[in-house]
Coordinates of all heavy atoms in Angstrom, one line a residue:
M1 N 145.1 76.5 77.5 CA 144.5 77.6 78.3 C 144.1 78.7 77.4 O 143.4 79.5 77.8 CB 145.6 78.1 79.3 CG 145.9 77.1 80.4 SD 147.3 77.6 81.4 CE 146.4 78.3 82.8
G2 N 144.4 78.7 76.1 CA 143.9 79.6 75.1 C 144.7 80.7 74.7 O 144.3 81.5 73.8
G3 N 145.8 81.0 75.4 CA 146.7 82.1 75.1 C 147.5 81.8 73.9 O 147.8 80.7 73.6
K4 N 147.9 82.9 73.2 CA 148.8 82.8 72.1 C 150.2 83.1 72.5 O 150.5 83.8 73.5 CB 148.4 83.8 71.0 CG 147.0 83.5 70.5 CD 146.8 83.8 69.0 CE 145.4 83.7 68.6 NZ 145.1 82.4 68.3
T5 N 151.2 82.6 71.8 CA 152.6 82.8 72.1 C 153.1 83.9 71.2 O 152.9 83.9 70.0 CB 153.4 81.5 71.9 OG1 152.9 80.5 72.7 CG2 154.9 81.6 72.2
G6 N 153.9 84.7 71.8 CA 154.6 85.8 71.1 C 156.0 86.0 71.5 O 156.5 85.2 72.4
K7 N 156.8 86.9 71.0 CA 158.1 87.1 71.4 C 158.1 87.8 72.8 O 157.4 88.6 73.1 CB 158.8 88.1 70.4 CG 159.0 87.5 69.0 CD 159.9 86.3 69.0 CE 161.3 86.5 69.0 NZ 162.1 85.3 69.0
A8 N 159.1 87.2 73.6 CA 159.4 87.8 74.9 C 160.0 89.2 74.8 O 160.7 89.4 73.8 CB 160.2 86.9 75.7
E9 N 160.0 90.0 75.8 CA 160.7 91.2 75.9 C 162.2 91.0 75.6 O 162.8 91.8 75.0 CB 160.4 92.0 77.1 CG 159.0 92.4 77.3 CD 158.2 91.5 78.2 OE1 158.7 90.4 78.5 OE2 157.1 91.8 78.7
H10 N 162.7 89.9 76.3 CA 164.1 89.6 76.2 C 164.2 88.1 76.1 O 163.5 87.4 76.8 CB 164.8 90.2 77.4 CG 164.7 91.6 77.6 ND1 165.5 92.5 77.0 CD2 163.9 92.3 78.4 CE1 165.2 93.7 77.3 NE2 164.2 93.6 78.2
S11 N 165.2 87.6 75.5 CA 165.6 86.2 75.5 C 166.2 85.9 76.9 O 166.9 86.7 77.5 CB 166.6 85.9 74.5 OG 167.1 84.6 74.5
E12 N 165.7 84.8 77.5 CA 166.3 84.4 78.8 C 166.9 83.0 78.7 O 166.1 82.1 78.4 CB 165.3 84.4 79.9 CG 164.8 85.8 80.2 CD 163.8 85.8 81.4 OE1 162.8 85.0 81.3 OE2 163.9 86.6 82.3
V13 N 168.2 82.8 78.9 CA 168.8 81.5 79.0 C 169.8 81.6 80.2 O 170.7 82.4 80.2 CB 169.6 81.2 77.7 CG1 170.3 79.9 77.9 CG2 168.7 81.2 76.5
G14 N 169.4 80.8 81.2 CA 170.2 80.9 82.4 C 169.4 80.9 83.7 O 168.2 80.8 83.6
L15 N 170.0 81.2 84.8 CA 169.4 81.3 86.0 C 169.0 82.8 86.3 O 169.9 83.7 86.4 CB 170.3 80.8 87.1 CG 169.7 80.5 88.5 CD1 168.7 79.5 88.5 CD2 170.8 80.2 89.5
F16 N 167.7 83.0 86.5 CA 167.2 84.4 86.7 C 166.0 84.3 87.8 O 165.3 83.3 87.9 CB 166.6 85.0 85.5 CG 167.5 85.1 84.3 CD1 167.6 84.2 83.3 CD2 168.4 86.2 84.3 CE1 168.5 84.3 82.3 CE2 169.3 86.4 83.2 CZ 169.4 85.4 82.2
P17 N 165.9 85.4 88.6 CA 164.8 85.4 89.6 C 163.5 85.7 88.9 O 163.4 86.5 88.0 CB 165.3 86.5 90.5 CG 166.1 87.5 89.7 CD 166.8 86.6 88.6
I18 N 162.5 85.1 89.5 CA 161.1 85.5 89.2 C 160.5 86.1 90.5 O 161.0 85.7 91.6 CB 160.3 84.3 88.7 CG1 160.1 83.1 89.8 CG2 160.7 83.7 87.4 CD1 159.2 82.0 89.5
T19 N 159.6 87.0 90.3 CA 158.9 87.6 91.5 C 157.5 87.3 91.5 O 156.8 87.4 90.4 CB 159.1 89.2 91.3 OG1 160.5 89.5 91.3 CG2 158.4 89.9 92.5
F20 N 156.9 86.8 92.6 CA 155.6 86.4 92.7 C 154.7 87.6 93.0 O 155.1 88.6 93.7 CB 155.4 85.4 93.8 CG 156.1 84.1 93.4 CD1 157.4 83.8 93.7 CD2 155.3 83.1 92.7 CE1 158.0 82.6 93.3 CE2 155.9 81.9 92.3 CZ 157.3 81.7 92.6
T21 N 153.5 87.6 92.4 CA 152.6 88.7 92.5 C 151.7 88.6 93.7 O 151.7 87.5 94.4 CB 151.7 88.7 91.2 OG1 150.9 87.5 91.2 CG2 152.5 88.8 89.9
D22 N 150.9 89.6 94.0 CA 149.9 89.5 95.1 C 148.9 88.5 94.8 O 148.3 87.9 95.7 CB 149.2 90.9 95.3 CG 150.2 92.0 95.8 OD1 151.2 91.6 96.5 OD2 150.0 93.2 95.7
A23 N 148.6 88.2 93.5 CA 147.6 87.2 93.2 C 148.1 85.8 93.6 O 147.4 85.0 94.0 CB 147.3 87.2 91.7
A24 N 149.4 85.6 93.5 CA 150.0 84.4 94.0 C 149.8 84.2 95.5 O 149.5 83.1 96.0 CB 151.5 84.3 93.7
K25 N 150.0 85.3 96.2 CA 149.8 85.2 97.6 C 148.4 84.9 98.0 O 148.1 84.2 99.0 CB 150.2 86.6 98.3 CG 151.6 86.9 98.3 CD 151.9 88.4 98.9 CE 153.3 88.7 98.7 NZ 153.6 90.1 99.1
S26 N 147.5 85.4 97.2 CA 146.0 85.1 97.5 C 145.6 83.7 97.3 O 144.6 83.2 97.8 CB 145.1 86.0 96.6 OG 145.1 85.5 95.2
V27 N 146.5 82.8 96.7 CA 146.3 81.4 96.5 C 147.3 80.6 97.3 O 147.4 79.4 97.1 CB 146.2 80.9 95.0 CG1 145.0 81.6 94.3 CG2 147.5 81.2 94.3
G28 N 148.0 81.2 98.3 CA 148.9 80.5 99.1 C 150.3 80.4 98.7 O 151.1 79.7 99.3
I29 N 150.7 81.1 97.6 CA 152.1 81.0 97.1 C 152.8 82.3 97.6 O 152.6 83.3 97.0 CB 152.2 80.9 95.6 CG1 151.4 79.7 95.1 CG2 153.6 80.9 95.1 CD1 151.2 79.7 93.5
E30 N 153.5 82.1 98.7 CA 154.2 83.2 99.4 C 155.7 83.1 99.4 O 156.3 83.0 100.4 CB 153.6 83.4 100.8 CG 152.1 83.7 100.7 CD 151.6 84.1 102.1 OE1 152.3 84.7 102.9 OE2 150.4 83.8 102.4
L31 N 156.3 83.1 98.2 CA 157.7 82.9 98.1 C 158.5 84.2 97.8 O 159.7 84.2 97.9 CB 158.0 81.9 96.9 CG 157.5 80.5 97.1 CD1 157.7 79.7 95.8 CD2 158.1 79.9 98.2
G32 N 157.8 85.2 97.5 CA 158.5 86.5 97.2 C 159.3 86.5 96.0 O 158.7 86.9 94.9
Q33 N 160.4 86.0 96.0 CA 161.3 85.9 94.8 C 162.0 84.5 94.8 O 162.4 84.0 95.9 CB 162.4 87.0 94.8 CG 163.0 87.2 93.4 CD 163.9 88.5 93.4 OE1 164.9 88.5 94.1 NE2 163.5 89.4 92.6
L34 N 162.2 83.9 93.7 CA 162.8 82.6 93.6 C 163.7 82.6 92.3 O 163.3 83.0 91.2 CB 161.7 81.6 93.4 CG 162.1 80.1 93.3 CD1 162.7 79.6 94.6 CD2 160.9 79.3 93.0
N35 N 164.9 82.1 92.4 CA 165.8 81.9 91.2 C 165.3 80.6 90.5 O 165.2 79.5 91.1 CB 167.2 81.7 91.7 CG 167.8 83.1 92.0 OD1 167.4 84.1 91.5 ND2 168.8 83.1 92.9
T36 N 165.1 80.7 89.2 CA 164.6 79.6 88.4 C 165.4 79.6 87.1 O 166.0 80.6 86.7 CB 163.1 79.7 88.1 OG1 162.8 80.9 87.4 CG2 162.3 79.7 89.4
F37 N 165.4 78.4 86.5 CA 166.1 78.3 85.2 C 165.2 78.7 84.0 O 164.1 78.2 84.0 CB 166.7 76.8 85.0 CG 167.8 76.8 84.0 CD1 169.0 77.2 84.3 CD2 167.4 76.5 82.7 CE1 170.0 77.2 83.4 CE2 168.4 76.5 81.7 CZ 169.7 76.9 82.0
H38 N 165.8 79.4 83.1 CA 165.0 79.8 82.0 C 165.7 79.4 80.7 O 167.0 79.5 80.6 CB 164.9 81.4 82.0 CG 164.3 81.9 83.2 ND1 162.9 82.2 83.2 CD2 164.8 82.1 84.4 CE1 162.7 82.6 84.4 NE2 163.8 82.6 85.2
W39 N 165.0 79.1 79.7 CA 165.5 78.9 78.3 C 164.4 79.1 77.3 O 163.7 78.3 76.9 CB 166.0 77.4 78.2 CG 166.9 77.2 77.0 CD1 166.7 77.4 75.7 CD2 168.3 76.7 77.1 NE1 167.8 77.1 75.0 CE2 168.7 76.7 75.8 CE3 169.1 76.3 78.2 CZ2 170.0 76.2 75.5 CZ3 170.3 75.8 77.9 CH2 170.8 75.8 76.6
H40 N 164.2 80.4 77.0 CA 163.2 80.8 76.1 C 163.3 82.1 75.5 O 164.1 83.0 76.0 CB 161.8 80.8 76.8 CG 161.8 81.6 78.1 ND1 161.8 81.0 79.3 CD2 161.7 82.9 78.2 CE1 161.8 82.0 80.2 NE2 161.8 83.1 79.6
N41 N 162.8 82.2 74.3 CA 162.8 83.5 73.5 C 161.4 84.0 73.3 O 161.2 85.1 72.9 CB 163.4 83.3 72.1 CG 164.9 82.9 72.2 OD1 165.7 83.4 72.9 ND2 165.2 81.7 71.6
D42 N 160.4 83.1 73.6 CA 159.0 83.5 73.4 C 158.3 83.6 74.7 O 158.9 83.2 75.8 CB 158.3 82.4 72.5 CG 158.9 82.3 71.1 OD1 159.2 83.4 70.6 OD2 159.1 81.2 70.6
M43 N 157.1 84.1 74.7 CA 156.3 84.2 75.9 C 154.8 84.0 75.7 O 154.3 84.4 74.6 CB 156.5 85.7 76.4 CG 155.7 86.1 77.6 SD 156.0 87.8 78.1 CE 155.1 88.7 76.8
P44 N 154.2 83.3 76.6 CA 152.7 83.2 76.4 C 152.0 84.5 76.7 O 152.4 85.2 77.6 CB 152.4 82.1 77.4 CG 153.4 82.2 78.5 CD 154.7 82.7 77.8
N45 N 151.0 84.8 75.9 CA 150.1 86.0 76.2 C 148.9 85.5 76.9 O 148.4 84.5 76.6 CB 149.7 86.7 74.9 CG 150.9 87.2 74.2 OD1 151.7 88.0 74.8 ND2 151.1 86.9 72.9
L46 N 148.6 86.2 78.0 CA 147.5 85.8 78.9 C 146.1 86.3 78.3 O 146.0 87.3 77.7 CB 147.7 86.3 80.3 CG 149.0 86.0 80.9 CD1 149.0 86.5 82.4 CD2 149.3 84.5 80.9
T47 N 145.1 85.4 78.5 CA 143.8 85.8 78.2 C 143.1 86.3 79.3 O 143.6 86.4 80.5 CB 143.0 84.5 77.6 OG1 142.9 83.6 78.7 CG2 143.7 83.9 76.5
D48 N 141.9 86.9 79.2 CA 141.1 87.5 80.2 C 140.8 86.6 81.4 O 140.6 87.0 82.5 CB 139.8 88.1 79.7 CG 140.1 89.3 78.8 OD1 141.2 89.9 78.9 OD2 139.2 89.7 78.1
D49 N 140.7 85.3 81.1 CA 140.4 84.3 82.2 C 141.6 83.7 82.9 O 141.5 82.8 83.7 CB 139.5 83.2 81.7 CG 140.2 82.4 80.6 OD1 141.1 82.8 80.0 OD2 139.7 81.2 80.3
M50 N 142.8 84.3 82.7 CA 144.1 83.9 83.3 C 144.5 85.0 84.3 O 144.2 86.2 84.1 CB 145.2 83.7 82.3 CG 144.9 82.5 81.4 SD 146.3 82.5 80.2 CE 145.7 81.3 79.0
V51 N 145.1 84.5 85.3 CA 145.7 85.5 86.3 C 147.2 85.2 86.4 O 147.7 84.1 86.3 CB 145.0 85.2 87.7 CG1 145.2 83.8 88.2 CG2 145.5 86.3 88.7
L52 N 148.0 86.3 86.6 CA 149.5 86.2 86.6 C 149.9 86.0 88.1 O 149.5 86.7 89.0 CB 150.0 87.6 86.1 CG 151.5 87.6 86.1 CD1 152.1 86.6 85.1 CD2 152.0 89.0 85.8
F53 N 150.7 85.0 88.2 CA 151.3 84.6 89.6 C 152.7 85.0 89.7 O 153.2 85.1 90.8 CB 151.1 83.1 89.9 CG 149.6 82.7 90.0 CD1 149.2 81.6 89.3 CD2 148.8 83.4 90.9 CE1 147.8 81.2 89.5 CE2 147.5 83.0 91.0 CZ 147.0 81.9 90.3
A54 N 153.5 85.0 88.6 CA 154.9 85.4 88.7 C 155.4 86.0 87.4 O 154.9 85.7 86.3 CB 155.8 84.1 89.1
K55 N 156.4 86.9 87.5 CA 157.0 87.5 86.4 C 158.6 87.6 86.6 O 159.0 87.5 87.7 CB 156.4 88.9 86.2 CG 156.6 89.8 87.4 CD 155.8 91.0 87.1 CE 155.8 91.9 88.5 NZ 155.0 93.1 88.3
S56 N 159.3 88.0 85.5 CA 160.7 88.2 85.6 C 161.0 89.5 84.9 O 160.1 90.0 84.2 CB 161.6 87.1 85.1 OG 161.5 87.0 83.7
E57 N 162.3 90.0 85.0 CA 162.6 91.2 84.4 C 162.5 91.0 82.8 O 162.1 92.0 82.2 CB 164.0 91.6 84.8 CG 164.5 93.0 84.3 CD 165.7 93.4 84.8 OE1 166.0 93.3 86.1 OE2 166.6 93.9 84.0
G58 N 162.9 89.9 82.4 CA 162.9 89.7 80.9 C 161.6 89.1 80.3 O 161.5 89.1 79.1
C59 N 160.7 88.6 81.1 CA 159.5 88.0 80.7 C 158.4 88.2 81.7 O 158.5 87.7 82.8 CB 159.7 86.5 80.4 SG 158.3 85.7 79.8
S60 N 157.4 89.0 81.3 CA 156.4 89.4 82.2 C 155.4 88.3 82.6 O 154.7 88.5 83.6 CB 155.7 90.6 81.7 OG 155.1 90.4 80.4
N61 N 155.4 87.2 81.8 CA 154.4 86.2 82.2 C 155.2 84.8 82.4 O 155.4 84.1 81.6 CB 153.5 85.9 81.0 CG 152.6 87.1 80.7 OD1 152.4 87.9 81.6 ND2 152.2 87.3 79.4
Q62 N 155.6 84.6 83.7 CA 156.4 83.5 84.0 C 155.5 82.3 84.7 O 155.8 81.2 84.5 CB 157.5 83.8 85.1 CG 158.6 84.6 84.4 CD 159.5 83.7 83.6 OE1 159.4 82.5 83.5 NE2 160.4 84.3 82.9
M63 N 154.6 82.6 85.4 CA 153.7 81.6 86.0 C 152.3 82.2 86.1 O 152.0 83.4 86.5 CB 154.1 81.3 87.4 CG 153.3 80.3 88.1 SD 154.1 80.0 89.8 CE 152.9 78.8 90.5
F64 N 151.3 81.5 85.6 CA 149.9 81.9 85.5 C 149.0 80.8 85.7 O 149.3 79.6 85.5 CB 149.8 82.6 84.1 CG 150.3 81.9 83.0 CD1 149.6 80.9 82.3 CD2 151.7 82.1 82.6 CE1 150.1 80.2 81.3 CE2 152.2 81.3 81.6 CZ 151.5 80.4 80.9
G65 N 147.7 81.1 85.9 CA 146.7 80.1 86.0 C 145.4 80.6 85.6 O 145.2 81.7 85.3
L66 N 144.4 79.7 85.5 CA 143.1 80.1 85.1 C 142.4 80.8 86.4 O 142.5 80.3 87.5 CB 142.3 78.9 84.8 CG 142.7 78.2 83.4 CD1 141.9 76.9 83.1 CD2 142.5 79.2 82.3
R67 N 141.7 81.8 86.1 CA 141.2 82.7 87.1 C 140.3 81.9 88.1 O 140.3 82.1 89.3 CB 140.5 83.9 86.6 CG 140.0 84.9 87.5 CD 139.6 86.1 86.8 NE 140.5 86.8 86.0 CZ 141.5 87.5 86.4 NH1 141.7 87.8 87.6 NH2 142.4 88.1 85.5
D68 N 139.4 81.0 87.6 CA 138.5 80.3 88.4 C 138.9 78.8 88.7 O 138.1 78.1 89.2 CB 137.1 80.3 87.7 CG 136.6 81.7 87.6 OD1 136.8 82.5 88.5 OD2 135.9 82.1 86.6
N69 N 140.2 78.5 88.5 CA 140.6 77.1 88.8 C 142.0 77.2 89.2 O 142.9 77.1 88.4 CB 140.4 76.3 87.5 CG 140.7 74.8 87.7 OD1 141.4 74.5 88.7 ND2 140.2 74.0 86.8
G70 N 142.3 77.2 90.5 CA 143.6 77.3 91.0 C 144.4 76.0 90.8 O 145.6 75.9 91.2
L71 N 143.8 75.0 90.2 CA 144.5 73.7 90.0 C 145.3 73.7 88.6 O 146.0 72.7 88.4 CB 143.6 72.5 90.1 CG 142.9 72.3 91.4 CD1 141.9 71.2 91.3 CD2 143.9 72.1 92.6
V72 N 145.0 74.6 87.8 CA 145.7 74.7 86.5 C 146.7 75.8 86.4 O 146.4 77.0 86.5 CB 144.6 74.9 85.4 CG1 145.3 75.0 84.0 CG2 143.6 73.8 85.4
L73 N 147.9 75.4 86.2 CA 149.0 76.4 86.2 C 149.8 76.3 84.9 O 150.0 75.2 84.4 CB 150.0 76.2 87.3 CG 149.6 76.5 88.8 CD1 150.7 76.2 89.8 CD2 149.2 78.0 88.9
G74 N 150.3 77.4 84.4 CA 151.3 77.4 83.3 C 152.5 78.0 83.8 O 152.6 78.9 84.5
L75 N 153.6 77.4 83.4 CA 155.0 77.8 83.7 C 155.8 78.2 82.5 O 155.9 77.4 81.6 CB 155.8 76.7 84.6 CG 155.1 76.2 85.8 CD1 156.0 75.1 86.4 CD2 154.9 77.3 86.8
Q76 N 156.4 79.3 82.5 CA 157.3 79.7 81.4 C 158.7 79.2 81.8 O 159.5 78.8 81.0 CB 157.3 81.2 81.2 CG 158.3 81.7 80.3 CD 158.0 81.4 78.8 OE1 157.2 80.7 78.5 NE2 158.8 82.1 77.9
F77 N 159.1 79.4 83.1 CA 160.4 79.0 83.5 C 160.4 77.4 83.6 O 159.5 76.7 83.4 CB 160.8 79.5 84.9 CG 159.8 79.1 86.0 CD1 160.1 78.0 86.8 CD2 158.7 79.9 86.3 CE1 159.3 77.7 87.8 CE2 157.8 79.5 87.3 CZ 158.1 78.4 88.1
H78 N 161.6 76.8 83.8 CA 161.8 75.4 83.8 C 162.1 74.8 85.1 O 163.3 74.8 85.6 CB 162.9 75.0 82.7 CG 162.6 75.3 81.4 ND1 161.9 74.4 80.6 CD2 162.9 76.3 80.6 CE1 161.7 74.9 79.4 NE2 162.3 76.1 79.4
A79 N 161.1 74.3 85.8 CA 161.2 73.7 87.1 C 161.8 72.2 87.0 O 162.3 71.7 88.0 CB 159.9 73.6 87.8
E80 N 161.8 71.7 85.8 CA 162.2 70.3 85.6 C 163.7 70.0 85.3 O 164.2 68.9 85.2 CB 161.4 69.7 84.4 CG 161.9 70.0 83.1 CD 161.5 71.4 82.5 OE1 160.9 72.2 83.3 OE2 161.9 71.7 81.4
F81 N 164.5 71.1 85.2 CA 165.9 71.0 84.8 C 166.7 70.3 85.9 O 166.5 70.5 87.1 CB 166.5 72.3 84.5 CG 166.4 72.7 83.0 CD1 166.1 74.0 82.7 CD2 166.7 71.8 82.1 CE1 166.0 74.4 81.4 CE2 166.7 72.2 80.7 CZ 166.3 73.5 80.4
N82 N 167.6 69.4 85.5 CA 168.6 68.8 86.3 C 169.9 68.8 85.6 O 170.0 69.2 84.4 CB 168.1 67.4 86.7 CG 168.0 66.5 85.6 OD1 168.7 66.5 84.6 ND2 167.0 65.5 85.6
Q83 N 171.0 68.3 86.1 CA 172.2 68.3 85.5 C 172.3 67.6 84.2 O 172.9 68.1 83.3 CB 173.3 67.7 86.5 CG 174.7 67.8 86.0 CD 175.7 67.3 87.1 OE1 175.3 66.9 88.1 NE2 177.0 67.3 86.6
N84 N 171.6 66.5 84.1 CA 171.7 65.7 82.8 C 171.0 66.4 81.7 O 171.6 66.6 80.6 CB 171.1 64.3 83.0 CG 172.0 63.4 83.9 OD1 173.1 63.6 84.0 ND2 171.3 62.5 84.5
N85 N 169.8 66.9 81.9 CA 169.1 67.6 80.7 C 169.6 68.9 80.4 O 169.6 69.4 79.3 CB 167.6 67.5 80.9 CG 167.0 68.1 82.0 OD1 167.7 69.0 82.7 ND2 165.8 67.7 82.4
L86 N 170.2 69.6 81.4 CA 170.9 70.9 81.2 C 172.1 70.7 80.3 O 172.3 71.4 79.3 CB 171.2 71.5 82.5 CG 171.9 72.9 82.3 CD1 171.1 73.9 81.5 CD2 172.2 73.4 83.7
H87 N 172.9 69.7 80.6 CA 174.0 69.4 79.8 C 173.7 69.1 78.3 O 174.3 69.6 77.4 CB 174.9 68.2 80.4 CG 176.1 67.8 79.6 ND1 177.2 68.6 79.7 CD2 176.4 66.8 78.8 CE1 178.1 68.0 78.9 NE2 177.7 67.0 78.4
S88 N 172.6 68.3 78.2 CA 172.1 68.0 76.9 C 171.7 69.2 76.0 O 171.9 69.4 74.9 CB 171.0 66.9 76.9 OG 170.5 66.6 75.7
M89 N 170.9 70.1 76.8 CA 170.5 71.3 76.1 C 171.6 72.2 75.7 O 171.7 72.7 74.6 CB 169.6 72.1 77.1 CG 168.2 71.5 77.4 SD 167.0 71.8 76.2 CE 166.7 73.5 76.3
C90 N 172.6 72.3 76.5 CA 173.8 73.1 76.2 C 174.6 72.5 75.0 O 175.0 73.3 74.1 CB 174.8 73.3 77.3 SG 174.1 74.3 78.7
E91 N 174.6 71.2 74.8 CA 175.3 70.6 73.7 C 174.5 70.8 72.4 O 175.0 70.9 71.3 CB 175.4 69.1 74.0 CG 176.6 68.8 74.9 CD 176.8 67.3 75.1 OE1 175.8 66.5 74.8 OE2 177.8 66.9 75.5
N92 N 173.2 70.7 72.5 CA 172.3 70.7 71.3 C 171.7 72.0 70.9 O 171.1 72.1 69.9 CB 171.2 69.6 71.5 CG 171.8 68.2 71.6 OD1 172.4 67.8 70.6 ND2 171.7 67.6 72.8
C93 N 171.8 73.0 71.7 CA 171.3 74.3 71.4 C 172.3 75.4 71.5 O 172.1 76.4 72.2 CB 170.1 74.6 72.4 SG 168.8 73.4 72.4
T94 N 173.3 75.2 70.8 CA 174.5 76.1 70.8 C 174.2 77.5 70.4 O 174.7 78.5 70.9 CB 175.7 75.6 70.1 OG1 175.3 75.3 68.7 CG2 176.2 74.3 70.7
L95 N 173.3 77.7 69.4 CA 172.9 79.0 69.0 C 172.3 79.9 70.1 O 172.7 81.1 70.3 CB 171.9 79.0 67.8 CG 171.5 80.3 67.2 CD1 172.7 81.1 66.7 CD2 170.5 80.1 66.1
D96 N 171.4 79.2 70.9 CA 170.9 80.0 72.0 C 171.9 80.4 73.0 O 171.9 81.5 73.5 CB 169.8 79.1 72.7 CG 168.5 79.0 72.0 OD1 168.3 79.8 71.1 OD2 167.8 78.1 72.3
T97 N 172.8 79.5 73.4 CA 173.9 79.8 74.4 C 174.9 80.9 73.7 O 175.3 81.8 74.5 CB 174.7 78.6 74.8 OG1 175.2 77.9 73.6 CG2 173.8 77.6 75.5
Q98 N 175.2 80.8 72.5 CA 176.1 81.8 71.9 C 175.4 83.2 71.9 O 176.0 84.2 72.2 CB 176.4 81.4 70.5 CG 177.3 80.3 70.4 CD 177.5 79.8 68.9 OE1 176.9 80.3 68.0 NE2 178.3 78.8 68.8
M99 N 174.1 83.3 71.6 CA 173.4 84.5 71.7 C 173.4 85.1 73.0 O 173.4 86.4 73.2 CB 172.0 84.3 71.2 CG 171.8 84.1 69.7 SD 170.1 83.7 69.2 CE 169.1 84.9 70.0
Q100 N 173.4 84.3 74.1 CA 173.5 84.8 75.5 C 174.9 85.0 76.0 O 175.0 85.5 77.1 CB 172.7 83.8 76.4 CG 171.3 83.7 76.1 CD 170.5 85.0 76.5 OE1 170.7 85.6 77.5 NE2 169.7 85.4 75.6
G101 N 175.9 84.7 75.2 CA 177.2 84.8 75.7 C 177.7 83.8 76.6 O 178.6 84.0 77.5
I102 N 177.0 82.6 76.6 CA 177.4 81.5 77.5 C 178.3 80.5 76.9 O 178.2 80.2 75.8 CB 176.1 80.7 77.9 CG1 175.1 81.7 78.6 CG2 176.4 79.6 78.8 CD1 173.7 81.1 78.9

């Protein structure tokens, strides 16, 4: 999508809510707020041809898409987590969990 990655305002590891923007509503995403799993210290920076669809308190760019193509989405949060891969992440990424006090 062309954006560069930089440091997030805050590290997020755990379950945190994301808030959907008015732009999300304009493409049919009307969820308001949703609890999602996060495991990141970095954040994608958006380019002029991207539109923001969701943000969180710790990371302002959680879900975004190309302005002229509603079929291309970028997600900062982790929609793919399940019990098995979460357990593996906790075992293998202890520095991240220690930094968060988990």
Side-chain angles (χ1 to χ4, degrees):
M1 295 175 95
K4 301 213 182 277
T5 300
K7 291 302 273 180
E9 294 99 348
H10 303 280
S11 174
E12 290 183 312
V13 176
L15 191 64
F16 298 98
I18 60 172
T19 302
F20 291 90
T21 65
D22 288 338
K25 290 178 189 172
S26 74
V27 295
I29 303 170
E30 297 191 32
L31 297 173
Q33 195 173 66
L34 180 69
N35 284 328
T36 59
F37 197 83
H38 303 262
W39 197 301
H40 51 259
N41 300 307
D42 297 322
M43 176 180 72
N45 294 308
L46 304 187
T47 61
D48 291 341
D49 61 342
M50 293 180 193
V51 61
L52 181 66
F53 292 131
K55 58 187 175 180
S56 71
E57 187 174 313
C59 180
S60 56
N61 300 334
Q62 285 288 351
M63 181 178 176
F64 44 91
L66 291 176
R67 189 169 301 281
D68 295 326
N69 186 340
L71 300 177
V72 178
L73 290 176
L75 303 177
Q76 173 73 348
F77 62 92
H78 292 276
E80 78 283 3
F81 270 133
N82 61 38
Q83 186 174 358
N84 292 334
N85 57 21
L86 178 58
H87 181 72
S88 178
M89 290 278 292
C90 289
E91 282 184 340
N92 294 297
C93 300
T94 56
L95 181 58
D96 287 342
T97 57
Q98 287 171 358
M99 288 173 48
Q100 294 294 315
I102 299 173

